[in-house]
């Protein structure tokens, strides 16, 4: 069991464990078990859920049953698209906290920017108030392009602490990472292993990253799994990484990555996979569930 996970200091001063467990597409029973096992047995201290995943209540039960103090676990949830707008956002965080059975989350994210800029600014303003009210220690965004970030920062003077985006060796997001670094925004990778094969939107593709020969060659050299090699690539690049699994063996395997290093040749071989290919929707294309 690992408890000395690396952390990243957010702009709020809060520390986020650099490796967490994602629970998208996990049903209630699987989620509760996975969260309890991840925290209580495997050593995770960071869970990533969202209102849209329909499993916040199970996350709350798993955290409570883990035997680890709430204050030692970093919980993220996200505001769903239908809840954009000032009043809706204020109601949405209360509903999420109620389902989670928590009085605050460590990180509250706007799940997608959508395409109404005026409303987006209102939503971000609501998150600032949510943070001020102590309902979220840190606030951030997900799937924001530089133009979305510029819009909300210029309108409110407050930058998000985190931007969670699709990011893996085939979509290394160098330009966005540089923009975020300059603005003091930590970058978090979704679909870090290349996804489950059933992602958002029309661009969803099966996972072929875990079997890519460049990855399996490095994995063989280290006597590790392809998933472990990809997770090390994220960690060594300073990215927050939240691989999803509902299987104990994989949950344990994905955190058993703190005792080996990829060398410069390994990193270069993986960096060469960056074709810009997405497994999920492009942020500027998706307007799913947007309010009227
Ligand atoms: P991942 O890249 O984490 O891949 C998950 C898939 O890989 C699952 O099918 C899982 O299967 C499998 N897997 C996990 N570990 C291993 C392993 N060691 N060996 C082989 N296969 C493995 O994809 P996700 O899309 O789930 O992304 C991770 C998290 O990011 C999500 O759960 C969610 O929290 C977040 N996310 C956020 C989005 C956003 O818009 N903000 C969008 C998408 C994801 P199994 O479970 O059966 O083990």
């Amino acid at each position: 069991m690992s408890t000395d996970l690396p952390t990243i200091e957010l702009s709020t001063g809060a520390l986020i464990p650099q490796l967490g467990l994602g629970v998208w597409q996990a049903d209630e029973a699987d989620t509760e078990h996975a969260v309890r096992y991840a925290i209580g047995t495997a050593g995770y201290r960071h869970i990533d859920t969202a209102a849209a995943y329909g499993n916040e209540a199970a996350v709350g039960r798993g955290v409570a049953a883990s035997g680890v103090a709430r204050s030692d676990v970093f919980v993220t949830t996200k505001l769903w698209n239908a809840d954009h707008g000032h009043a809706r956002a204020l109601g949405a965080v209360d509903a999420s906290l109620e389902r989670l059975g928590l009085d605050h989350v460590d990180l509250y994210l706007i799940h997608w920017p959508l395409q109404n800029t005026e409303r987006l600014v209102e939503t971000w303003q609501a998150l600032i108030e949510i943070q001020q009210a102590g309902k979220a220690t840190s606030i951030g965004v997900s799937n924001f392009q530089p133009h979305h970030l510029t819009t909300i920062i210029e309108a409110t003077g407050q930058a998000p602490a985190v931007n969670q985006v699709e990011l893996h060796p085939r979509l290394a997001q160098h330009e966005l990472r540089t923009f975020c670094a300059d603005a003091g925004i930590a970058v978090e990778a979704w679909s870090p292993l290349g996804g489950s094969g059933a992602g958002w939107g029309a661009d969803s593709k099966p996972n072929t990253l875990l079997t890519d020969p460049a990855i399996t060659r490095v994995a063989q050299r280290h006597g590790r799994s392809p998933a472990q090699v990809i997770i090390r690539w994220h960690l060594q690049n300073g990215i927050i990484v939240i691989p999803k699994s509902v299987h104990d063996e994989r949950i344990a395997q994905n955190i058993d990555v703190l005792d080996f290093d990829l060398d410069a040749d390994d990193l270069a071989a993986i960096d060469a996979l960056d074709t810009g290919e997405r497994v999920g929707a492009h942020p500027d294309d998706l307007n799913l569930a947007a309010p009227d």
Side-chain angles (χ1 to χ4, degrees):
M1 156 159 154
S2 167
T3 46
D4 33 340
L5 286 168
T7 55
I8 288 191
E9 185 174 349
L10 302 179
S11 56
T12 52
L15 297 178
I16 183 170
Q18 206 185 338
L19 173 58
L21 178 75
V23 295
W24 182 35
Q25 297 173 319
D27 68 20
E28 286 258 320
D30 281 350
T31 299
E32 184 172 344
H33 174 84
V35 169
R36 191 179 64 232
Y37 176 81
I39 300 170
T41 304
Y44 286 70
R45 293 293 181 267
H46 171 183
I47 306 294
D48 182 87
T49 185
Y53 302 167
N55 56 20
E56 289 175 307
V59 167
R61 289 195 299 273
V63 171
S66 70
V68 171
R70 162 69 184 102
S71 54
D72 290 336
V73 182
F74 193 103
V75 178
T76 299
T77 195
K78 312 185 192 85
L79 172 125
W80 183 233
N81 299 355
D83 292 320
H84 272 248
H86 186 264
R88 285 196 193 94
L90 296 181
V93 73
D94 288 340
S96 281
L97 292 174
E98 170 96 29
R99 286 188 292 267
L100 285 159
L102 301 177
D103 62 2
H104 75 283
V105 285
D106 298 278
L107 181 62
Y108 194 49
L109 304 178
I110 299 177
H111 207 141
W112 286 90
L114 308 185
Q115 286 152 28
N116 179 327
T117 302
E118 202 179 317
R119 194 182 54 210
L120 180 60
V121 169
E122 268 183 45
T123 308
W124 181 240
Q125 184 58 47
L127 261 71
I128 293 171
E129 292 166 29
I130 286 164
Q131 182 184 28
Q132 286 165 350
K135 295 178 182 180
T137 307
S138 302
I139 53 172
V141 296
S142 181
N143 298 301
F144 275 43
Q145 299 283 89
H147 70 92
H148 301 115
L149 294 167
T150 301
T151 296
I152 61 167
I153 295 168
E154 284 184 355
T156 66
Q158 182 166 337
V162 168
N163 187 16
Q164 182 183 115
V165 295
E166 182 181 341
L167 200 164
H168 42 71
R170 294 208 181 118
L171 183 69
Q173 300 267 29
H174 287 293
E175 202 182 315
L176 183 60
R177 280 158 64 191
T178 301
F179 184 98
C180 288
D182 290 347
I185 303 168
V187 174
E188 182 170 19
W190 64 252
S191 291
L193 304 178
S196 64
W200 303 106
D203 291 337
S204 300
K205 295 188 186 74
N207 187 319
T208 53
L209 184 63
L210 285 163
T211 50
D212 190 294
I215 301 287
T216 55
R217 260 196 302 275
V218 176
Q220 268 168 9
R221 206 165 80 69
H222 288 275
R224 297 292 181 141
S225 75
Q228 288 175 313
V229 163
I230 297 170
I231 292 165
R232 277 265 13 131
W233 176 85
H234 286 282
L235 295 177
Q236 290 181 223
N237 275 290
I239 296 160
I240 302 161
V241 58
I242 46 170
K244 173 262 179 184
S245 179
V246 292
H247 297 104
D248 292 0
E249 191 194 327
R250 287 176 174 174
I251 292 170
Q253 180 195 118
N254 292 348
I255 199 175
D256 182 19
V257 293
L258 303 180
D259 59 349
F260 76 107
D261 278 310
L262 302 178
D263 67 19
D265 288 344
D266 299 329
L267 290 169
I270 300 170
D271 287 344
L273 297 176
D274 183 18
T275 54
E277 193 185 333
R278 292 178 184 271
V279 296
H282 190 287
D284 282 329
D285 294 341
L286 191 134
N287 211 33
L288 180 71
D292 295 333

